[in-house]
Amino acid sequence: MNELHYQIDLLKAMNQKLSVREKMYHIMCDTADSALLYYSFDDKEVTCAGRWSEFFDFDIFDIKDISRLYEIVEETAVVELMEALYPEKNGEATSVFECCQRDKSKWYRFRVNVMFDDIKNPTDKVIRITDITMLKKQHEELTYLAYYDKSTGLYNRNYFVQLLENYLKRADELNDIVSVLVIDVDDFHKIKDGYGMVVGDEVIHQLGDFLNTFSGENVIVCHMDSDVYCMGIYSPAGKNSIKEVHKTIQNRIKKPFVMSNGREVFLTVSVGVAEYPEAAVSALELINCAEIVMYKCKDLGKNAIHFYDTNTLNEFLQTVEIENKLKEAISNQNFELYYQPQYYVGNKRLRGMEALIRWRDGEDKMISPGVFIPIAEKNGAIISIGTWVVEQSIRQYASWRNEYGVHLILSINISARQFEKENFVELLLKTLRKYDVDFSEIELEITESILIEDSEVVTEKLKILKNYGIRISLDDFGTGFSSLSYLKTLPINTLKIDKSFIDTVLSDSATRVITESIVDMVKSLGFESIAEGVEDEQQYKYLHAIGCDVIQGYFLGKPLPASEMEKLIQTMV
Ligand code: C2E
Ligand code: MG
Ligand code: MG
């Protein structure tokens, strides 16, 4: 009897344990994120569990019916899925296979596990089917982002470089050429500022779509950044020749880009071209070279195509070197001012002097302002350089004036960017007051380039300066647009006839005619004329004869360091 009780208790305990296990099994199946299929090889029984009913609208009770799964996946995947569902056929214990639903709405991952007994006969099999649609989408998105630029759908910079490297490898083996074009929208900031960012984005998108039409077996196109695109052409020829590609681009941009709001936007592009192997042998260097020429193209007036050559590179490298050294020069104040005397024609009395900057690079090397001023103008360094020149020259002039009691005219070159600064007038007046210099003894030399930008604002500023009694001189006259008619409206005192006229005035009759009419007109307008770069006596005599007022040039005096200029002033007192 005791034995029976014991057996009953044991059975009860086992039952309880079993029901706990069954409960656990159900919970695990129900909370799994997969549809599960269990097959017992001994009983030949199939059980569907987990999220089966959520995934599929059919059940499987017999292993033969597993073929129902083949019907839901893409036809091309059926054979592989059949293989994957029976790994035991090849003595394998596991297999994993991913494929798409036939209507392409879902992706599934099939993971199959088979258990074997001691003598390697299969005993149990579990097929887990997971919905991996989200995962696939994320993966696709990441893959897309790795290769493409989202805003245009073109290749992105990284992938473009990779593809370009492939072109270069092929070209190296086959002795071919690869061209790289950097295409940049001219004045894109004006489009963005004028029409807004949304239109700006649409322009970039539409231009990208257009450039993408060149894509093909031997042409790759990418969106580098903002308004810059890059094209790689393998063995450019025929319709893929640079000339043809550029012609097609030009033809397209002659027509407007029509925005979704109906607005028409016109644009032009600057194109720089560099060729493998001539310009460089790596993708990044090639792109760099093409970019350098594209910038040169911008400098030379935009809306054109320019080709890379060694001169361009040397020019660029020199500019970069100067730019770097210029930063140092500014912080160390490695500049010096020279002064070139100006004399009245006839009595050869000293009128004054023009302050000319010199950059001392090392012990005895001087870099000419003709080299670094244009670079400083471009990168903005001219503002601090110009401010230094104004302060330094006025301070120097004031000390000569106080020391020797002379009243001369100090001419200071002012660059357009410096002049445009809002506080320019204020700063100048402050400096003049600080050193107690008469406003009428200061002459600002400006060039015609100042007048191109916003001539109303510029004229207004010039008027203010002139009202204070500060003199204005138009420098390098004859090298810019030199319209005589606008001179009437400008509040200027002096006009400097450029050296290029003086150089040929004796040998070329046309130059003579122009020079004489300039001098006459200057007289009739009541200005003063200064001839620049007078190098010999004949030029001087001729200029005297035609009534030019002032002479500046090597004939009467080269630019001098301050100490030499001081000696010259001493001779006057
Ligand atoms: P610029 O204002 O037209 O100055 C006249 C230039 O002609 C000076 O060159 C001067 O040395 C040179 N020159 C004068 N007479 C003769 C001559 O008889 N023969 C020859 N061959 N040359 C003569 P520099 O000093 O090299 O200056 C070049 C240009 O750099 C200046 O042309 C001016 O535009 C600019 N520059 C010079 N200093 C400054 C400055 O402080 N600020 C700004 N913004 N520009 C400056
Ligand atoms: Mg000058
Ligand atoms: Mg000049």
Side-chain angles (χ1 to χ4, degrees), residues 5-19:
H5 272 171
Y6 169 73
Q7 288 291 346
I8 290 170
D9 284 348
L10 194 65
L11 268 174
K12 266 189 191 162
M14 280 170 75
N15 255 342
Q16 203 174 353
K17 208 168 180 181
L18 266 176
S19 64

Side-chain angles (χ1 to χ4, degrees), residues 226-266:
S226 171
D227 59 329
V228 194
Y229 305 83
C230 204
M231 199 184 278
I233 307 182
Y234 187 89
S235 188
K239 76 171 182 29
N240 283 352
S241 70
I242 306 301
K243 197 173 152 207
E244 281 302 310
V245 168
H246 189 237
K247 204 165 96 188
T248 314
I249 295 176
Q250 288 300 106
N251 284 341
R252 170 63 190 90
I253 60 178
K254 271 184 205 141
K255 290 174 277 170
F257 286 79
V258 184
M259 303 294 107
S260 49
N261 63 6
R263 188 184 287 280
E264 293 190 342
V265 177
F266 283 91

Side-chain angles (χ1 to χ4, degrees), residues 131-143:
D131 182 343
I132 55 163
T133 314
M134 277 286 280
L135 220 72
K136 277 281 169 192
K137 273 211 178 110
Q138 281 164 357
H139 183 72
E140 265 170 33
E141 180 107 336
L142 284 176
T143 313

Side-chain angles (χ1 to χ4, degrees), residues 74 98 101 107 121 152 169 191 341 357 409 508 511 545 563:
E74 276 185 312
E98 289 175 1
Q101 193 166 294
W107 270 86
N121 282 325
T152 58
K169 257 188 227 141
I191 297 178
I357 194 167
I409 291 172
D508 181 49
T511 310
S563 57

Side-chain angles (χ1 to χ4, degrees), residues 340 354 357-358 369 389 413 475-476 499 532-533 535 553-554 559:
Q340 187 173 28
E354 177 177 4
I357 194 167
R358 299 288 176 264
V389 170
N413 291 287
D475 202 357
D476 303 341
K499 179 177 179 297
E532 288 194 276
E535 291 185 340
Y554 292 178

